[in-house]
Amino acid sequence: AEFCSALFPVISMALLISWVVSVMVAPLYGYHLIKVEVKRNEEGDTVQYQSKFYTIFRNILTWFLTHRKLVLVATAGIFALSILGMKLVRDEFFPPSTRPEIIVSMRLNDGASLKNTEEVSKRFADFLNQHADEIENYSCYVGEGAPRFVLPFTPEPPVDNYSQFIVVSKDAEHREELSRKIREELENEFPEVRHDIKFLQTGPPADYPIMLKVYGTDKDKVREIGEQVADRVAQDENNTEVHLNWHEKSKVIHLEYDQNKLKAMGLTAQTVSKMVYTELTGATAAQFYKGDRTVDIVLEMAEVDRTDLSKIKELPIYTGRGYVPLEQLADISLRTENGVIGRERLGPCVTVQGNILSGTANDATEKALEAVKDIADNLPAGYKIEAAGALHDSKKAMGNITKPVPAMIFCIITLLMFQLKNGKLMLLTVLTAPLGLIGVAAGMLIFDQAMGFVAILGVLALSGMIIRNSVILIDQIQKHLEEGETPWDAIMDSAVMRFRPIMLTAAAAILGMIPLMFSTFWGPMAVAIASGLLVATVLTLLVLPTMYATVYKVEKE
């Protein structure tokens, strides 16, 4: 709704107002402004629709009506090919934004200190300073992500081993070249850093193009399956930087207190832990006030004593009667453990995520799902692999869009029955709507557009436009039949008479879509509507009369 909610009320109001204008204002202007000179032949009869162009159109329509089986079979075949062709169209939820920002995320090994993260960030900042002529400005956030500065941007939670740069290039054209240089620098000079370079999205954001989630009941088993999935996904040469969101295990110092010694000295494990935390991490002992600022006074040991692991065992612990070294109260050991354990649906969940070199996120995720299908089919009970990220959001959005489609079709059919008062005519009208997919498939492939959220909206709007043209033509046929014309002449005369208004309304819609074709966001919708309407309009004027003649067994007398 944040992106497309205004589209529906604007179109609804525009259509309602245009309907009022077309039936009230347009006839008034036409009466006063349009002066038509009626051409007549020597016998005094009008010669309207007798030009060379309409003669050619009549001949083409006659051929279609006399070869109706061939026409209908060919139309069905082309429609089937277009359905297959839709599989070749790229699938993309929302296209990347054309904003100049480049989001550079850097993550060190789990357990890395904030100081190490800051040192790496300073090195990368030096690289950016060397390319100041290509950069408008940049900002750096160490130990956390940037705040939300635009809607489709998700801030990262604070963590010591993470930093993020927001690099603003001179313009969108130089963004690709600058991001390529940044990627080469990180790969060559920062091998210890897991990096991620991405652009802002025009729709709901996803952390990575490829995201697969592994659900289960045991965290170690879930991680094991996740590693298998990551190895399989990484075999695709188009996928890069494939990893788990749990990352590697962190090194931790484990203290196992001797409870007997603690009791003998009048101490508790909680008291000793607080002392160790204060000496190593620091604790606020007081506050210093200067103007409107409050500065914490932190109590901690000297850096040389708290950063040397060999001195951990010598940390002084106050017992009330003096100090004893920590090693006399606890068994100190070095271990590894998961720094992060993701949980969803009341159980462990690991996300396999990665970047892609080319293509769209939806296509890459679908391909990754197909690659791990054998793993997913042989998982133990309670474990499963599902798509996440852009593909999951896309399917969810499509599901929400298609929910009202049955009600929409019911309303359309009901209105058509009131208008046409005939079941066969209603079915003929509805059957023309799918013909637009022929043009949609061709247009999306020719213009290399992706079938995404806004393109689906365009297809839904296109079906209404096609049905409108069909209603106009069929209604005209019925009027000619009521005037006493033969069915053949009624079909021919109706197609000829409605050729110009149908083509003009279609041309107006197509020309209105041309400016939108150059838009990154609305381009796919404009291409879908324009190409689909162009092909469907031609088919409406030629194939729909053929379908009508076939259903009612109309023959030329």
Side-chain angles (χ1 to χ4, degrees):
E2 293 286 350
F3 302 94
C4 301
S5 60
L7 184 65
F8 302 98
V10 169
I11 291 179
S12 299
M13 288 186 291
L15 287 175
L16 288 173
I17 294 173
S18 67
W19 175 69
V20 175
V21 171
S22 65
V23 298
M24 298 182 67
V25 181
L28 179 63
Y29 279 114
Y31 177 79
H32 290 287
L33 299 179
I34 300 177
K35 306 300 181 183
V36 180
E37 180 181 354
V38 181
K39 297 181 180 180
R40 301 180 182 276
N41 56 19
E42 296 178 356
E43 288 77 17
D45 299 329
T46 59
V47 292
Q48 191 178 13
Y49 307 118
Q50 300 300 323
S51 64
K52 184 177 180 181
F53 174 82
Y54 283 110
T55 301
I56 295 175
F57 176 70
R58 285 177 182 274
N59 293 334
I60 295 175
L61 181 57
T62 300
W63 188 90
F64 269 70
L65 293 176
T66 54
H67 299 80
R68 62 190 65 175
K69 290 184 179 180
L70 175 62
V71 170
L72 295 179
V73 171
T75 302
I78 296 174
F79 178 75
L81 288 176
S82 67
I83 298 298
L84 296 177
M86 290 297 292
K87 296 182 179 180
L88 302 177
V89 178
R90 296 182 294 113
D91 184 12
E92 185 176 48
F93 188 27
F94 279 95
S97 171
T98 55
R99 292 176 61 103
E101 290 91 352
I102 304 173
I103 315 299
V104 182
S105 300
M106 306 172 65
R107 190 181 297 273
L108 278 68
N109 293 334
D110 276 3
S113 66
L114 190 63
K115 181 180 178 180
N116 292 339
T117 307
E118 185 175 5
E119 291 175 353
V120 171
S121 300
K122 287 181 178 179
R123 286 170 50 202
F124 183 69
D126 293 337
F127 164 77
L128 294 179
N129 293 331
Q130 296 172 7
H131 295 77
D133 57 329
E134 303 176 48
I135 299 173
E136 188 71 27
N137 58 70
Y138 72 86
S139 56
C140 174
Y141 303 85
V142 180
E144 60 182 352
R148 188 187 299 273
F149 61 94
V150 68
L151 180 63
F153 177 80
T154 304
E156 292 287 336
V159 60
D160 288 347
N161 65 328
Y162 180 82
S163 66
Q164 189 174 71
F165 284 78
I166 309 297
V167 183
V168 183
S169 61
K170 291 292 185 182
D171 49 50
E173 287 73 17
H174 294 85
R175 185 183 65 175
E176 297 287 345
E177 178 63 19
L178 181 59
S179 63
R180 183 188 63 80
K181 294 180 180 179
I182 292 175
R183 181 174 285 104
E184 291 179 355
E185 175 70 13
L186 290 173
E187 291 176 351
N188 297 330
E189 303 298 331
F190 295 83
E192 75 279 16
V193 174
R194 176 179 292 130
H195 62 273
D196 179 34
I197 303 172
K198 59 185 177 183
F199 306 137
L200 292 173
Q201 298 293 310
T202 54
D207 294 335
Y208 288 87
I210 298 178
M211 296 183 69
L212 302 178
K213 288 190 175 183
V214 181
Y215 298 92
T217 55
D218 180 74
K219 64 179 185 299
D220 294 327
K221 183 65 176 178
V222 167
R223 185 185 181 97
E224 178 186 344
I225 297 172
E227 291 174 348
Q228 295 176 11
V229 172
D231 292 340
R232 184 68 60 82
V233 173
Q235 293 177 6
D236 192 328
E237 295 181 353
N238 189 52
N239 302 335
T240 63
E241 303 160 11
V242 181
H243 59 280
L244 307 181
N245 66 335
W246 285 12
H247 312 298
E248 64 285 335
K249 292 187 176 182
S250 304
K251 296 178 181 179
V252 295
I253 295 178
H254 185 76
L255 303 179
E256 188 172 346
Y257 295 108
D258 189 329
Q259 297 297 331
N260 294 327
K261 290 183 179 181
L262 291 178
K263 290 179 181 180
M265 296 183 181
L267 300 174
T268 63
Q270 183 180 11
T271 303
V272 177
S273 297
K274 287 183 178 180
M275 292 183 190
V276 174
Y277 182 85
T278 300
E279 294 170 348
L280 296 180
T281 305
T284 301
Q287 290 181 326
F288 174 73
Y289 298 95
K290 183 178 181 180
D292 60 347
R293 296 181 59 194
T294 301
V295 181
D296 291 337
I297 300 176
V298 179
L299 175 65
E300 61 184 8
M301 295 185 64
E303 183 176 0
V304 64
D305 294 322
R306 58 189 170 84
T307 57
D308 188 350
L309 292 179
S310 63
K311 295 183 178 182
I312 297 295
K313 61 183 179 180
E314 301 174 5
L315 290 177
I317 304 300
Y318 182 67
T319 63
R321 295 185 296 273
Y323 290 89
V324 297
L326 179 62
E327 64 177 344
Q328 291 188 11
L329 301 176
D331 181 21
I332 305 173
S333 60
L334 183 64
R335 301 180 183 180
T336 60
E337 63 181 27
N338 290 309
V340 176
I341 299 178
R343 300 183 70 85
E344 288 188 24
R345 302 177 185 177
L346 303 179
C349 172
V350 62
T351 303
V352 179
Q353 48 198 21
N355 288 313
I356 56 177
L357 298 177
S358 61
T360 65
N362 284 10
D363 290 338
T365 307
E366 288 280 11
K367 189 175 181 181
L369 276 176
E370 185 64 27
V372 301
K373 189 175 184 302
D374 59 326
I375 299 177
D377 292 340
N378 295 283
L379 290 177
Y383 294 81
K384 59 181 176 180
I385 301 173
E386 292 184 1
L391 182 61
H392 174 266
D393 293 340
S394 179
K395 290 183 176 180
K396 182 179 179 181
M398 292 304 109
N400 291 334
I401 287 181
T402 54
K403 281 181 181 178
V405 168
M408 178 190 75
I409 294 175
F410 175 79
C411 292
I412 291 175
I413 291 176
T414 302
L415 291 173
L416 289 176
M417 285 297 295
F418 278 112
Q419 172 69 24
L420 301 174
K421 300 180 178 63
N422 187 292
K424 288 184 179 180
L425 296 179
M426 181 271 295
L427 289 176
L428 283 175
T429 305
V430 173
L431 287 176
T432 58
L435 297 180
L437 291 178
I438 299 175
V440 171
M444 302 300 274
L445 291 173
I446 292 174
F447 291 95
D448 192 28
Q449 292 286 354
M451 180 61 68
F453 185 81
V454 292
I456 295 297
L457 295 182
V459 172
L460 291 176
L462 174 66
S463 62
M465 298 178 187
I466 298 171
I467 291 177
R468 176 200 60 190
N469 291 338
S470 300
V471 170
I472 292 174
L473 183 58
I474 290 180
D475 183 66
Q476 189 65 42
I477 293 175
Q478 296 303 105
K479 288 181 179 179
H480 282 290
L481 291 175
E482 293 173 359
E483 293 174 358
E485 289 192 13
T486 63
W488 180 275
D489 290 338
I491 293 174
M492 296 292 296
D493 292 342
S494 298
V496 170
M497 289 184 63
R498 289 301 169 184
F499 180 90
R500 179 178 294 180
I502 288 177
M503 290 301 295
L504 285 177
T505 54
I510 293 171
L511 292 174
M513 292 295 109
I514 290 179
L516 289 178
M517 289 183 180
F518 302 98
S519 168
T520 302
F521 188 85
W522 297 110
M525 183 193 73
V527 170
I529 292 178
S531 58
L533 187 58
L534 176 62
V535 174
T537 301
V538 176
L539 294 179
T540 300
L541 291 168
L542 296 173
V543 177
L544 179 58
T546 306
M547 295 168 59
Y548 185 97
T550 303
V551 171
Y552 287 95
K553 298 180 174 57
V554 178
E555 299 294 341
K556 185 175 181 181
E557 295 181 1

